[in-house]
Amino acid sequence: MTALKNDRFLRALLKQPVDVTPVWMMRQAGRYLPEYRASRAKAGDFMSLCMNPELACEVTLQPLDRYPLDAAILFSDILTVPDAMGLGLYFETGEGPRFKKVVSSMADIEALPIPDPEQDLGYVMDAVRTIRRELNGRVPLIGFSGSPWTLATYMVEGARPRTSASRKRCSMKILRRCMPCWTSSLSR
């Protein structure tokens, strides 16, 4: 493994002294960069961009080539794990992410598989390996996931919930049952 050339972010996480506050941005790779738009056009659509390890690496590194950031953020989507659980993620133009299947009963929850990272999310794992190789110790790589509540509301609604009433349908019973599955899936 290559030694980090810039470990400021990690030292700050460990509450160790740093010379300046580390900088990274949410949505670091995004629509504001013309090179991102070019990569997305090359991919054809958002999920194809996420599922192509080389393009995901390209997009992850683009902000680092422009700005003095202290960490890279993995380019992916928070809903890849529920997609790997068989819910069928797709993006509706102008609406955002949606699932073909929803979780509406305990039987649905009990039928959810725990995805194997290499088999079911291989494109994410390949992107991580590609990015780490290309970073060559430049900065740490940050991964991310949606919160359990966010994942649950998408899985129950099939799309981004629009009202607080619809979020309430995601009962604590469903959340409690899904937590071990998400914990296992996200910690691998």
Side-chain angles (χ1 to χ4, degrees), residues 42-80:
K42 196 181 336 178
D45 61 60
F46 180 77
M47 279 310 290
S48 295
L49 185 57
C50 290
M51 296 176 94
N52 180 314
E54 290 75 27
L55 289 177
C57 175
E58 183 179 296
V59 170
T60 297
L61 299 179
Q62 288 169 350
L64 296 171
D65 294 335
R66 279 183 168 251
Y67 308 111
L69 301 166
D70 294 305
I73 301 176
L74 170 68
F75 180 80
S76 189
D77 190 80
I78 65 169
L79 300 174
T80 56

Side-chain angles (χ1 to χ4, degrees), residues 14-188:
L14 295 169
K15 298 182 181 179
Q16 295 175 354
V18 292
D19 53 340
V20 296
T21 302
V23 176
W24 75 100
M25 297 181 287
M26 189 64 185
R27 299 187 190 229
Q28 208 158 274
R31 293 171 268 201
Y32 68 95
L33 293 176
E35 53 268 44
Y36 167 84
R37 291 192 297 273
S39 298
R40 176 144 177 199
K42 196 181 336 178
D45 61 60
F46 180 77
M47 279 310 290
S48 295
L49 185 57
C50 290
M51 296 176 94
N52 180 314
E54 290 75 27
L55 289 177
C57 175
E58 183 179 296
V59 170
T60 297
L61 299 179
Q62 288 169 350
L64 296 171
D65 294 335
R66 279 183 168 251
Y67 308 111
L69 301 166
D70 294 305
I73 301 176
L74 170 68
F75 180 80
S76 189
D77 190 80
I78 65 169
L79 300 174
T80 56
V81 172
D83 183 47
M85 294 170 139
L87 298 184
L89 177 63
Y90 69 100
F91 284 76
E92 189 73 40
T93 304
E95 295 293 321
R98 296 190 178 276
F99 286 118
K100 293 175 185 168
K101 291 170 48 179
V102 296
V103 173
S104 59
S105 69
M106 286 305 291
D108 291 343
I109 292 167
E110 289 166 6
L112 290 172
I114 295 176
D116 176 87
E118 290 295 339
Q119 183 178 349
D120 303 315
L121 293 161
Y123 64 94
V124 175
M125 301 305 290
D126 289 342
V128 168
R129 284 186 282 272
T130 303
I131 295 163
R132 289 189 70 205
R133 183 187 70 233
E134 294 301 314
L135 281 171
N136 193 30
R138 184 172 166 188
V139 294
L141 175 61
I142 302 172
F144 64 95
S145 173
S147 74
W149 180 258
T150 301
L151 295 177
T153 56
Y154 270 98
M155 292 170 74
V156 168
E157 296 296 320
R160 189 175 109 229
R162 302 280 182 204
T163 67
S164 62
S166 66
R167 285 186 202 103
K168 288 179 185 172
R169 290 197 326 219
C170 182
S171 72
M172 290 308 295
K173 186 185 275 187
I174 290 174
L175 276 173
R176 270 192 228 95
R177 174 59 179 91
C178 283
M179 288 299 284
C181 184
W182 291 323
T183 301
S184 177
S185 299
L186 299 173
S187 64
R188 290 185 179 189

